[in-house]
Amino acid sequence: MEIQTFPNEIVFFDIETNVPNKTGQHFHILEFGAIIVCPRKLEELESFTTLIQPKDLSVASLRSSRSDGITRAKVTDAPSFEDVAEKIYGLLNGRIWAGHNIRRFDCVRIKEAFAEVGKAAPEPSGIIDSLGLLSDKFGKRAGNMKMASLAAYFGLGVQKHRSLDDVRMNLEVLKHCATVLFLESTLPNQLEGKWQSSSKIMTRSRSHHQMAQKAMPYTKVSLVKMTQNVKNILSKAQGTQSLQSLIKHSHSLLR
């Protein structure tokens, strides 16, 4: 039987596990989630998620500190990894793997899980680890490089630590980072390095209706100066009427 591969498709995936608290205790996958993404449009083409029952139910916590966290009761009636191994293999094998810190954690856990059930592990056609990629390209302007910190920096909400929610958040974080880096690359003298002198401004939280400090990559003064610099540069190559419309729109976005 010929095995299908999709070398140009990207699969973002994430696993949730127990947290070993005893010597010799291993990680056990409690949830798997993935989305298949078109590399040209970055559109989600397919999604899959499942809770997974570990062989030893005692490794799953009785209670979770998170409102929608994974508990022993939630995985008691879930399928075993062996039950869903074929589906997971089909999603991962031959595609580009993407995720946050997947090289050191998720990839290792997936191989361990397949070995435990005596099945061949899926192989990627390439790996995009957003932790390493963003640490190198985006820098630590958002603080540490945890997904929760990156999501908070861009106002994308709170990380839920549930597989499908986290992979979708991962994709959005990458889109935002890529946009910032693209803009900086087009006008390096005006934009690069401005984040280093970030300031804090007061913003209103829509969910809690409270005022909170939020780190911003540019000061208000630098935004005005930056907009004027962009205007001056573009004026040399663009018609003034269309340019005025563009600048007016950019001011509304930057407020």
Side-chain angles (χ1 to χ4, degrees):
M1 178 180 175
E2 185 180 350
I3 299 175
Q4 267 192 308
T5 60
F6 308 85
N8 296 322
E9 287 185 344
I10 303 172
V11 54
F12 282 79
F13 75 96
D14 177 71
I15 61 171
E16 296 296 324
T17 71
N18 64 310
V19 179
N21 53 19
K22 298 177 182 177
T23 303
Q25 191 177 49
H26 299 291
F27 287 99
H28 296 267
I29 298 177
L30 303 179
E31 187 177 46
F32 173 89
I35 57 173
I36 294 174
V37 173
C38 169
R40 293 182 181 86
K41 298 182 178 180
L42 297 182
E43 291 178 338
E44 182 178 322
L45 303 175
E46 181 183 343
S47 67
F48 173 76
T49 186
T50 181
L51 288 165
I52 294 174
Q53 181 190 121
K55 286 185 177 180
D56 180 5
L57 278 172
S58 69
V59 303
S61 301
L62 287 170
R63 288 179 290 277
S64 173
S65 59
R66 302 184 182 99
S67 60
D68 194 30
I70 300 171
T71 61
R72 191 176 302 174
K74 288 187 177 181
V75 298
T76 297
D77 296 321
S80 67
F81 186 84
E82 189 168 11
D83 292 333
V84 295
E86 185 176 349
K87 175 65 176 180
I88 293 174
Y89 184 94
L91 286 167
L92 296 180
N93 191 57
R95 287 188 168 96
I96 298 168
W97 295 4
H100 203 67
N101 196 31
I102 59 171
R103 284 188 183 275
R104 291 189 298 179
F105 190 77
D106 303 72
C107 294
V108 177
R109 304 286 87 81
I110 285 291
K111 289 184 177 181
E112 289 175 348
F114 273 92
E116 192 174 319
V117 297
K119 295 180 181 292
E123 294 292 339
S125 62
I127 296 179
I128 301 171
D129 191 324
S130 56
L131 175 60
L133 179 65
L134 296 181
S135 295
D136 179 44
K137 302 295 184 182
F138 194 69
K140 294 191 175 181
R141 64 186 87 185
N144 63 41
M145 298 307 292
K146 292 182 179 180
M147 181 57 59
S149 301
L150 289 162
Y153 178 79
F154 287 112
L156 296 175
V158 178
Q159 185 182 8
K160 295 183 178 180
H161 293 281
R162 295 300 300 267
S163 294
L164 195 56
D165 292 311
D166 284 3
V167 292
R168 285 172 172 156
M169 176 174 278
N170 195 174
L171 176 59
E172 290 306 310
V173 163
L174 276 176
K175 286 179 181 178
H176 280 68
C177 289
T179 300
V180 170
L181 293 172
F182 172 75
L183 291 174
E184 289 179 348
S185 71
T186 60
L187 294 168
N189 294 332
Q190 281 73 30
L191 300 181
E192 278 189 6
K194 298 296 183 183
W195 62 270
Q196 293 176 341
S197 57
S198 64
S199 63
K200 290 185 177 180
I201 64 171
M202 300 300 290
T203 60
R204 184 176 297 277
S205 167
R206 294 183 180 180
S207 57
H208 301 294
H209 304 289
Q210 296 175 343
M211 300 300 287
Q213 285 191 328
K214 182 176 179 181
M216 300 299 288
Y218 307 103
T219 64
K220 188 174 181 180
V221 174
S222 68
L223 282 175
V224 174
K225 184 178 180 181
M226 182 202 316
T227 305
Q228 187 59 48
N229 288 340
V230 174
K231 180 178 179 180
N232 292 338
I233 292 170
L234 293 179
S235 291
K236 298 175 182 178
Q238 304 269 349
T240 56
Q241 187 173 358
S242 60
L243 177 63
Q244 290 296 335
S245 175
L246 171 65
I247 297 300
K248 181 180 179 181
H249 179 61
S250 70
H251 273 300
S252 68
L253 291 175
L254 295 172
R255 284 193 187 107

